[in-house]
């Protein structure tokens, strides 16, 4: 059996999950990997056959997605070319982690596409939703990468097609300690803004992992480092707590490591507001921004000892086996 595994390359979460999913697929089939998007920082430990521009959400510097840069980074002509030239007919099965090129190639050529993503779970009717309804964000989430059938990952199993997060092996094998610092990953804020806000808490040691700077530097109680997967997860494992956006993989890993967690959802990013609603339901504090009006909530979190207990077993291979048994073409049985 020949499988195309297509993964979204905006941010690092999808690629982190791919590090565990792809080896599980490779135990059962020949696998080619497609990555589209231009905002990721992680290198995958296996060959990528197709690298495409796709449709990337561009992070801004003030706490949200830069809609103008996102719009300008994509051209309709290039998108249509990538969709129309992808040879999906060469594959027995397409498995898609919220990746638009392969999804639309399948949709326009009437080929089955199996969605296996966090976004599918976040949009499920049984998953928590924010009070504010973002109709545009909801439309984008539903139509960005259409699939024939969806399976998903979320902070809880809300139904039989939703599984707990894939925690990569590098994180499962970490030695967890508490060295007193706080690990920060907020890629939608620039370094100057982060420094200004975090230095208002002078007694706290912050280790910031920056998407906007390639050289490390220290300023007073804030250490800024470029994003590097191994350094980041080591910092997180040794931290007193984690301050991050309301993505999926980083909060899930922080919860798995039993770390105190505070999240700030990105503006103009509906998925993060869905995640924030789910995390808040679990007992994770959520603030809207790093602005000084949220200092009281930040201070309360820093002084708190509260952590959320979760159970995220290592069952990725079992999930992949179940998916293949259900969707393998009958001619190949």
């Amino acid at each position: 059996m020949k499988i195309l595994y297509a993964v979204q390359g905006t941010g690092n979460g999808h690629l982190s999950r791919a590090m565990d999913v792809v080896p599980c697929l490779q135990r059962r089939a020949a696998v080619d990997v497609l990555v589209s998007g231009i905002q990721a920082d992680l290198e995958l430990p296996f060959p990528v056959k197709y690298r495409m521009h796709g449709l990337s959400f561009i992070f801004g510097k003030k706490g949200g997605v830069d809609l103008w840069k996102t719009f300008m980074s994509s051209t309709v002509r290039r998108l249509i070319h990538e969709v129309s030239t992808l040879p999906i007919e060469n594959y027995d099965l397409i498995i898609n982690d919220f990746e638009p090129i392969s999804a639309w190639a399948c949709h326009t050529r009437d080929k089955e596409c199996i969605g296996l993503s966090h976004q599918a779970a976040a949009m499920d009717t049984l998953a928590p939703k924010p009070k504010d309804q973002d109709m545009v964000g909801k439309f984008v989430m539903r139509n960005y990468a259409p699939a024939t059938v969806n399976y998903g990952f979320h902070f809880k199993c809300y139904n039989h097609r939703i599984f707990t997060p894939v925690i990569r092996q590098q994180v499962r094998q970490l030695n967890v300690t508490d060295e007193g610092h706080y690990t920060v990953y907020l890629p939608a804020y620039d370094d100057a803004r982060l420094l200004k806000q975090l230095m208002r808490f002078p007694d706290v040691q912050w280790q910031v992992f920056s998407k906007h700077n390639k050289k490390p530097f220290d300023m007073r109680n804030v250490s800024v480092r470029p994003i590097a997967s191994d350094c980041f997860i080591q910092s997180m494992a040794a931290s007193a707590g984690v301050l991050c956006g309301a993505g999926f993989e980083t909060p899930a890993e922080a919860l798995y490591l039993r770390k105190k967690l505070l999240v700030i959802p990105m503006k103009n990013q509906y998925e993060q507001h869905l995640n924030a609603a789910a995390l808040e339901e679990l007992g994770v504090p959520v603030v809207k921004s790093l602005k000084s009006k949220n200092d009281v909530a930040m201070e309360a979190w820093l002084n708190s000892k509260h952590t959320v207990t979760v159970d995220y077993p290592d069952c990725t291979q079992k999930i992949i086996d179940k998916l293949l048994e259900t969707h393998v073409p009958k001619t190949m049985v």
Side-chain angles (χ1 to χ4, degrees):
M1 180 165 56
K2 197 167 183 181
I3 292 174
L4 177 66
Y5 180 73
V7 57
Q8 167 66 250
T10 295
N12 298 316
H14 302 268
L15 300 185
S16 295
R17 182 161 54 245
M19 290 180 184
D20 267 34
V21 171
V22 169
C24 291
L25 287 169
Q26 288 173 331
R27 295 186 188 106
R28 297 289 305 273
V31 181
D32 286 342
V33 177
L34 180 155
V35 176
S36 76
I38 56 173
Q39 285 278 286
D41 303 288
L42 297 183
E43 287 296 324
L44 293 172
F46 41 75
V48 175
K49 182 160 186 175
Y50 307 98
R51 289 191 181 272
M52 296 185 166
H53 187 277
L55 281 169
S56 279
F57 297 105
I58 307 299
F59 300 139
K61 297 184 178 182
K62 299 180 181 179
V65 171
D66 189 318
L67 294 177
W68 177 248
K69 285 187 176 178
T70 294
F71 175 75
M72 293 301 291
S73 73
S74 304
T75 66
V76 173
R77 182 179 295 179
R78 174 168 49 196
L79 182 65
I80 292 173
H81 176 75
E82 289 183 337
V83 169
S84 62
T85 58
L86 182 64
I88 57 170
E89 62 279 357
N90 294 346
Y91 298 95
D92 302 300
L93 200 62
I94 313 293
I95 300 177
N96 181 291
D97 186 348
F98 204 57
E99 193 288 308
I101 303 302
S102 61
W104 279 99
C106 290
H107 186 74
T108 55
R109 289 181 242 172
D110 200 26
K111 187 175 179 69
E112 186 177 53
C113 178
I114 310 302
L116 182 64
S117 69
H118 165 60
Q119 285 77 8
M123 288 296 289
D124 190 89
T125 55
L126 296 179
K129 302 294 186 293
K131 293 178 182 177
D132 297 330
Q133 291 297 310
D134 179 354
M135 299 309 293
V136 174
K138 189 180 293 187
F139 176 83
V140 171
M141 288 273 286
R142 290 201 183 282
N143 294 281
Y144 183 83
T148 314
V149 60
N150 277 303
Y151 298 84
F153 302 97
H154 214 323
F155 299 114
K156 286 175 61 178
C157 299
Y158 296 102
N159 69 33
H160 70 285
R161 285 187 175 177
I162 296 177
F163 314 107
T164 53
V166 173
I167 304 297
R168 49 187 160 150
Q169 295 305 312
Q170 298 101 307
V171 173
R172 291 186 181 277
Q173 295 164 8
L174 289 169
N175 179 34
V176 181
T177 59
D178 181 354
E179 296 179 6
H181 67 266
Y182 285 78
T183 301
V184 181
Y185 179 55
L186 290 167
Y189 287 92
D190 63 15
D191 296 343
R193 198 171 299 267
L194 284 173
L195 286 166
K196 178 183 176 182
Q197 309 301 336
L198 296 178
M199 286 194 296
R200 291 205 307 272
F201 303 92
D203 297 329
V204 178
Q205 293 299 313
W206 303 99
Q207 291 188 3
V208 174
F209 288 82
S210 169
K211 195 171 185 68
H212 307 284
N213 204 309
K214 300 302 180 185
K215 293 183 179 179
F217 67 91
D218 299 322
M219 186 171 291
R220 286 161 52 182
N221 60 318
V222 183
S223 169
V224 178
R225 299 290 181 268
I227 296 171
S229 179
D230 289 344
C231 294
F232 175 71
I233 63 173
Q234 291 292 341
S235 172
M236 193 160 56
S239 71
V242 177
L243 170 62
C244 63
F248 180 57
E249 278 72 20
T250 297
E253 290 175 351
L255 291 172
Y256 173 80
L257 294 170
R258 301 290 192 268
K259 295 299 178 180
K260 189 166 61 170
L261 176 64
L262 176 67
V263 299
I264 304 176
M266 283 187 196
K267 292 176 286 185
N268 303 321
Q269 229 283 26
Y270 184 55
E271 181 205 336
Q272 294 223 351
H273 292 271
L274 291 168
N275 293 341
L279 288 166
E280 203 161 28
E281 188 180 88
L282 287 177
V284 174
V286 177
V287 296
K288 290 186 177 180
S289 71
L290 274 179
K291 292 179 180 178
S292 56
K293 65 182 180 181
N294 294 313
D295 281 2
V296 173
M298 288 274 291
E299 195 77 53
W301 175 69
L302 289 167
N303 292 329
S304 170
K305 299 293 185 184
H306 174 69
T307 59
V308 174
T309 300
V310 296
D311 179 20
Y312 293 159
D314 187 2
C315 54
T316 309
Q317 186 68 59
K318 190 179 296 185
I319 293 168
I320 294 300
D321 290 345
K322 179 181 177 182
L323 187 149
L324 294 182
E325 287 161 13
T326 304
H327 296 282
V328 62
K330 302 303 181 188
T331 55
M332 305 196 70
V333 176

